[in-house]
Amino acid sequence: SRSMILRDTSTLRLFLALIFLDKGCMVEMLGMLSNFAKPDVLTSRTYLRFLVIGLAGFEMGRENKDRSLIKLATKCLAYFKTLAKIGSLSATPIYYFIKAVSNPSRSSYDKAISLCREARLIHFEAMACERCGMFLEGKKHIDAANKYITTAFWLYSDWGATSKKNSMIQKYSFVKGSSRGSHTAQS
């Protein structure tokens, strides 16, 4: 039906908005998806939708001081917490990634990054590294921030996200001449 198509395309648009840090699109897609924050018959569809709603909901809720988005994101975080408790291997890194976005700190991002790496979720590891770098940049820890951003750049490259890599070169000129290094910003 038409509403299912809207739900699924909005989920994918929100995922891309998260990757490209498009705040306007995040807010718009969260508005579209707010009515779809309930489990679906198809678990994989629910999983992706709740993942992107959780991440974007906390990011935009905090930035725009919008409690309804934070409430929505909290519901998604609880979904992944339940899945992790019952033993879903891929839910655990996602739970910790959303949790890090909900209450950012270097240690919370490091835990999420480590778990994403262990689970071989390279795209979420890249996103977590980039967000940790942005968080540290906001705290004026520039050297550490640059390490996380450079790691994210190379992870996006490994994932094959050429457009994202190019956008990072535009935003962070230092990544263009960077070396691959050990593929980790944590130290």
Side-chain angles (χ1 to χ4, degrees), residues 10-12 14-16 18 30 33 47-57 80 98 124:
S10 296
T11 299
L12 294 174
L14 183 54
F15 188 34
L16 286 170
L18 280 160
L30 283 166
L33 290 168
Y47 192 96
L48 180 61
R49 187 172 63 254
F50 279 27
L51 185 157
V52 296
I53 291 172
L55 291 172
F80 284 102
I98 297 172
F124 298 123

Side-chain angles (χ1 to χ4, degrees), residues 30-73:
L30 283 166
M32 300 286 254
L33 290 168
S34 63
N35 294 326
F36 297 107
K38 42 193 161 286
D40 198 316
V41 176
L42 189 60
T43 305
S44 59
R45 195 166 46 206
T46 301
Y47 192 96
L48 180 61
R49 187 172 63 254
F50 279 27
L51 185 157
V52 296
I53 291 172
L55 291 172
F58 280 122
E59 284 184 10
M60 295 298 93
R62 188 175 49 255
E63 185 168 312
N64 298 331
K65 296 175 179 39
D66 185 333
R67 289 179 190 235
S68 66
L69 291 180
I70 292 172
K71 184 177 178 182
L72 184 64

Side-chain angles (χ1 to χ4, degrees), residues 7-27 29-30 33 48-49 51-53 55-56 59 123-124 127 130-131 156 159-165 167:
R7 174 201 61 208
D8 295 343
T9 56
S10 296
T11 299
L12 294 174
R13 286 185 65 198
L14 183 54
F15 188 34
L16 286 170
L18 280 160
I19 292 168
F20 287 97
L21 305 170
D22 184 339
K23 295 175 183 181
C25 186
M26 280 190 237
V27 170
M29 292 305 104
L30 283 166
L33 290 168
L48 180 61
R49 187 172 63 254
L51 185 157
V52 296
I53 291 172
L55 291 172
E59 284 184 10
H123 47 317
F124 298 123
M127 291 170 69
E130 184 176 19
R131 279 160 174 77
Y156 283 123
W159 185 39
T162 306
S163 291
K164 176 59 180 181
K165 212 176 118 180
S167 76

Side-chain angles (χ1 to χ4, degrees), residues 146-172:
N146 289 353
K147 286 180 184 176
Y148 281 91
I149 289 167
T150 300
T151 299
F153 174 78
W154 287 108
L155 288 166
Y156 283 123
S157 176
D158 291 346
W159 185 39
T162 306
S163 291
K164 176 59 180 181
K165 212 176 118 180
N166 292 338
S167 76
M168 289 185 79
I169 289 169
Q170 295 296 314
K171 186 172 182 179
Y172 306 108

